Amino acid sequence: MKVLLLTDNDQLLRRFRELVGEGDLDLIKSYHFEYAYSWNNQEFREKYKNDDRIFPLKVATNTHELIRKYKVIFSLHCKQFFPEELVKNVRCINVHPGLNPYNRGWFPQVFSIINGLPCGATIHEIDEKLDHGPVICQEEVVIEKWDTSFSAYNKILDAEIRLLRNSLVDILDNKYVAVSKPEGNVNLKRDFDDLCEIDLDNTDTFLNHINKLRALTHGEYSNAFFFDEEGRKIFINIEMTRE
Ligand code: 0FX
């Protein structure tokens, strides 16, 4: 049985390969896994140029081939939208870093820190809408007052791997009941971009200001910024520590 894993996330690629290739699951004897990344992902192209176990792929122009070749296709943070024809003809499964239906779409934990909606990890069947199809399993991740986007995200990745470990065999064998959820809400990349410029005249509670800044603090990324009187762009990251 041929299975395709499409991802643009290097950490998850490594952890998925470990999961299926060794340890308790040891699935590679029973299923044939193939790996691909998005054709426009330059970082992956450079990193995997000499690795023939993973290839670049444009889903929209290879739909018929994908339908012919694979029984199940996984998206593990793949940054391409799957065409309707594909999701209606092959079981396509999304591993998503959010607790559907809350904050579907872009960077769910960032929005959860700001709007207080639940956060976590979800594995669901893909339909024609973004992060939307019937839910196979999910795990809530609690965001603490001291979490930043980065620390919350790391907990979510761990939850995604736990969900995969517990449900992958059933998903491959099509032995699960998927449950539809209400619509919830969706955030797009431009919603994230809109958050990043800080309005220095904004008056709000201190709590809301802290929440916004920790939501935009993620390792090396420069997200939150403002301009000073001379037009220089100043980036802000905050540090949260628990006693
Ligand atoms: O791979 P991924 O973790 O996931 C994203 C979406 O959140 C997800 O809903 C979608 N299904 C998937 C295809 O794409 O994204 P990433 O590796 O680009 O970013 C990981 C985290 O890094 C993100 O949650 C927040 C942080 N980040 C990322 C970028 C690019 C920032 O804080 N600033 C940035 O500019």
Side-chain angles (χ1 to χ4, degrees):
M1 174 169 152
K2 269 197 173 180
V3 179
L4 179 67
L5 180 104
L6 252 163
T7 184
D8 291 302
N9 185 300
D10 214 22
Q11 184 187 155
L12 286 174
L13 172 64
R14 180 181 51 76
R15 292 177 77 174
F16 186 91
R17 275 174 158 167
E18 277 170 20
L19 190 68
V20 301
E22 56 190 52
D24 37 338
L25 288 186
D26 195 16
L27 293 174
I28 43 179
K29 293 197 192 93
S30 328
Y31 307 91
H32 178 84
F33 287 94
E34 292 189 355
Y35 297 90
Y37 55 88
S38 297
W39 90 107
N40 54 354
N41 184 336
Q42 291 308 331
E43 220 178 289
F44 266 58
R45 209 177 261 272
E46 186 50 36
K47 178 161 183 185
Y48 293 110
K49 62 181 178 217
N50 298 319
D51 185 342
D52 56 14
R53 296 169 309 160
I54 181 162
F55 56 92
L57 178 73
K58 187 168 183 175
V59 174
T61 51
N62 288 279
T63 300
H64 293 139
E65 194 194 339
L66 294 174
I67 292 170
R68 243 193 347 269
K69 259 177 108 175
Y70 298 106
K71 271 269 181 301
V72 185
I73 298 176
F74 284 89
S75 163
L76 205 54
H77 300 204
C78 163
K79 291 204 162 126
Q80 294 177 70
F81 195 75
F82 285 20
E84 192 170 343
E85 190 181 4
L86 179 64
V87 302
K88 289 216 159 119
N89 286 286
V90 183
R91 212 150 44 85
C92 293
I93 308 289
N94 189 24
V95 181
H96 173 64
L99 195 76
N100 288 6
Y102 307 108
N103 290 323
R104 291 161 39 217
W106 218 242
F107 303 170
Q109 80 285 350
V110 169
F111 292 92
S112 284
I113 291 173
I114 292 172
N115 63 21
L117 291 173
C119 202
T122 299
I123 301 183
H124 67 92
E125 288 185 345
I126 302 179
D127 66 9
E128 62 288 347
K129 291 191 197 165
L130 183 65
D131 301 326
H132 181 269
V135 169
I136 299 167
C137 54
Q138 54 187 175
E139 180 182 322
E140 182 163 1
V141 166
V142 174
I143 297 182
E144 307 285 0
K145 284 274 182 292
W146 57 86
D147 274 321
T148 60
S149 165
F150 185 59
S151 59
Y153 180 75
N154 286 332
K155 291 194 270 189
I156 291 166
L157 293 191
D158 290 346
E160 288 182 318
I161 296 298
R162 268 194 303 278
L163 288 176
L164 278 169
R165 181 184 300 283
N166 292 333
S167 64
L168 189 55
V169 175
D170 287 344
I171 293 172
L172 291 166
D173 294 345
N174 201 1
K175 286 188 187 144
Y176 58 84
V177 179
V179 180
S180 293
K181 297 275 174 183
E183 286 302 297
N185 64 310
V186 186
N187 305 295
L188 304 178
K189 184 175 181 305
R190 65 167 173 271
D191 298 313
F192 174 77
D193 292 340
D194 287 347
L195 288 175
C196 289
E197 182 164 0
I198 303 297
D199 173 3
L200 295 179
D201 296 321
N202 179 287
T203 53
D204 201 343
T205 62
F206 226 103
L207 180 65
N208 285 345
H209 285 314
I210 290 173
N211 285 345
K212 185 161 185 179
L213 292 178
R214 70 191 177 104
L216 293 172
T217 293
H218 195 113
E220 302 289 300
Y221 285 112
S222 297
N223 294 323
F225 67 91
F226 64 91
F227 290 102
D228 74 2
E229 309 74 36
E230 285 161 53
R232 290 172 297 203
K233 196 173 186 178
I234 322 283
F235 289 103
I236 318 168
N237 277 312
I238 60 167
E239 209 178 295
M240 308 285 290
T241 38
R242 227 181 97 190
E243 188 181 10

